[in-house]
Amino acid sequence: MAKIVPFRAVRPAKDKVSLVTARSYDEYSAAELASQLDYNPFSFLHVLNPLYINLQKSSFEKRFRLVQAKYAEFKEEKILKKEDKPVFYLYEIKSRNRTFTGLIAATSIEDYRNNIIKKHEDTLQYRVELFKDYLHQTGFNTEPVLITYPENAAMAKWKELKKQKRPLYHFTSLNRDTHTLWRIKNEGEIAWLQEQFDKMGSLYIADGHHRSASANMLYEEDKATGNVNLNYFMSFLISEADLKIYEYNRIIHDLNGMSKEQFLAALDNDFTVENKGQQLWKPEQKFQFGMYLDGDFYALELRDKYFSSVQEALDAQLLYDKVLHPLLGIGDLRNDERIEYIPGNKPVTAIKEAVDSGEFEVGFTLYPASIKEIKELADNDLIMPPKSTYIEPKFRSGLVVYEI
């Protein structure tokens, strides 16, 4: 039984919402970030990165204090305002190719601790502690955990009916995505939504394992204060059918001392290897891998497809077990400087360009993991290798803020 609750969100003034909201901070190049900070005084990036020119020279504690001060300034200037009462939101993101619709709500730390909200990724302790300190110092979070649930007919019908109502916000961002937000403040409607989630056996974290772990750590440290907001963390709940799962592709700086011919011969032990020449080939099904090496694309298909667990059968795990570790000497997927990652929403030409530049020797493309694999891993307390999935939608910073 999953528990969701409404909360008194902080959000932009209606006339400034398109100016305030921003993509996730780390999605901006240095030039884009400078442009936003120089020419848009309302951007939430000013909150996330105050005094941006000298910020990298400051301690984390000083940075977090500056973030909190800038956030308070945005509220004082009425750029941001707080809801009068606890609410839910229905949020739609419409891009050229897809439409995502989900519910913004607060989800339960108790459910997280009791594995009703299930995980499939490992976390890095230093990142969990750092974001916990950020939450403690700033007192807010604007990046919800992306959680998925099994779609049901009642919820699907409700979403379609709700989208016929007048929205709170409707705007287009600079990347030409259209964003629409409906506020849900009717007590009967809120209770009905809570009932729908109460019937669900489990929820699954799609993206945001570090954020949820940080919220749990903050709760453990500060629960004695009696702050009820610590009992929950903000989530964007989206049905499995609406989720888009991409792979993370790999590019490697060298062949670990092997020649091209030696490497291809070694691959032949576990894969059928077909030279595709200049065809921009990507895997078409599970157990297939694409490779770009020395100006040619290759199709690799695993020979032995029998495994004892879903974890062993993950394509990202197989590439590590059969190629990256034994042949290329990649041990630590998170920290080895010889490997880098390109999300699957980028074209395959991005891998070609990286290898053709001479900086990298070989690139691999993978077939995306399925929601079935993710859920089976989570149900069995198993984890994926680092950088296995790139999942959309991505939430805009500053659209909805959860205060702690």
Side-chain angles (χ1 to χ4, degrees), residues 46-59:
H46 285 286
V47 175
L48 299 177
N49 197 14
L51 304 178
Y52 68 97
I53 295 175
N54 297 314
L55 195 60
Q56 299 304 319
K57 300 178 182 178
S58 305
S59 67

Side-chain angles (χ1 to χ4, degrees), residues 274-307:
E274 181 183 356
N275 190 323
K276 294 287 187 176
Q278 296 303 299
Q279 180 183 346
L280 299 175
W281 191 85
K282 288 187 70 175
E284 299 169 344
Q285 60 188 23
K286 188 171 173 54
F287 301 129
Q288 291 182 344
F289 302 84
M291 182 174 72
Y292 184 69
L293 174 67
D294 193 28
D296 286 332
F297 286 91
Y298 293 82
L300 313 180
E301 181 154 358
L302 192 69
R303 296 182 188 276
D304 183 0
K305 302 182 176 71
Y306 297 96
F307 305 96

Side-chain angles (χ1 to χ4, degrees), residues 250-252 255 263 291-293 328 355 360-364:
R250 281 86 162 108
I251 46 178
I252 318 297
L255 294 181
F263 183 56
M291 182 174 72
Y292 184 69
L293 174 67
L328 296 179
V355 174
F360 298 89
E361 192 77 18
V362 64
F364 296 96

Side-chain angles (χ1 to χ4, degrees), residues 312-347:
E312 290 181 4
L314 288 171
D315 284 6
Q317 187 68 49
L318 288 166
L319 186 68
Y320 177 79
D321 290 341
K322 304 292 186 182
V323 181
L324 300 181
H325 185 48
L327 303 184
L328 296 179
I330 303 292
D332 186 344
L333 289 172
R334 290 188 187 276
N335 300 310
D336 197 312
E337 294 182 352
R338 294 172 55 231
I339 184 170
E340 294 187 22
Y341 302 89
I342 297 177
N345 65 340
K346 303 293 185 184

Side-chain angles (χ1 to χ4, degrees), residues 165-294:
K165 306 292 185 180
R166 183 176 180 179
L168 178 67
Y169 298 143
H170 181 72
F171 64 98
T172 301
S173 50
L174 292 176
N175 61 357
R176 299 186 178 182
D177 288 350
T178 301
H179 304 265
T180 311
L181 190 78
W182 294 264
R183 180 169 50 190
I184 304 157
K185 58 182 180 179
N186 178 274
E187 292 182 3
E189 198 169 14
I190 287 173
W192 182 84
L193 287 166
Q194 290 177 309
E195 181 182 348
Q196 299 308 303
F197 280 89
D198 188 56
K199 295 175 183 176
M200 297 178 190
S202 299
L203 302 176
Y204 295 84
I205 296 177
D207 189 26
H209 286 79
H210 284 89
R211 294 191 292 276
S212 52
S214 297
N216 179 54
M217 183 179 287
L218 183 65
Y219 165 82
E220 189 62 36
E221 290 189 4
D222 292 355
K223 60 184 177 183
T225 64
N227 180 356
V228 295
N229 288 349
L230 291 170
N231 297 335
Y232 304 93
F233 55 89
M234 183 170 67
S235 294
F236 185 34
L237 299 130
I238 187 167
S239 78
E240 296 170 8
D242 277 353
L243 210 61
K244 177 60 178 176
I245 305 171
Y246 293 97
E247 75 284 3
Y248 257 112
N249 298 310
R250 281 86 162 108
I251 46 178
I252 318 297
H253 281 282
D254 59 74
L255 294 181
N256 198 28
M258 285 184 285
S259 67
K260 171 186 170 181
E261 292 72 24
Q262 289 172 325
F263 183 56
L264 288 172
L267 287 173
D268 191 61
N269 291 324
D270 291 302
F271 302 90
T272 60
V273 181
E274 181 183 356
N275 190 323
K276 294 287 187 176
Q278 296 303 299
Q279 180 183 346
L280 299 175
W281 191 85
K282 288 187 70 175
E284 299 169 344
Q285 60 188 23
K286 188 171 173 54
F287 301 129
Q288 291 182 344
F289 302 84
M291 182 174 72
Y292 184 69
L293 174 67
D294 193 28

Side-chain angles (χ1 to χ4, degrees), residues 359-379:
E359 184 179 356
F360 298 89
E361 192 77 18
V362 64
F364 296 96
T365 53
L366 290 79
Y367 191 72
S370 68
I371 186 63
K372 180 181 177 183
E373 288 176 310
I374 289 174
K375 290 174 66 174
E376 190 172 346
L377 282 165
D379 289 339

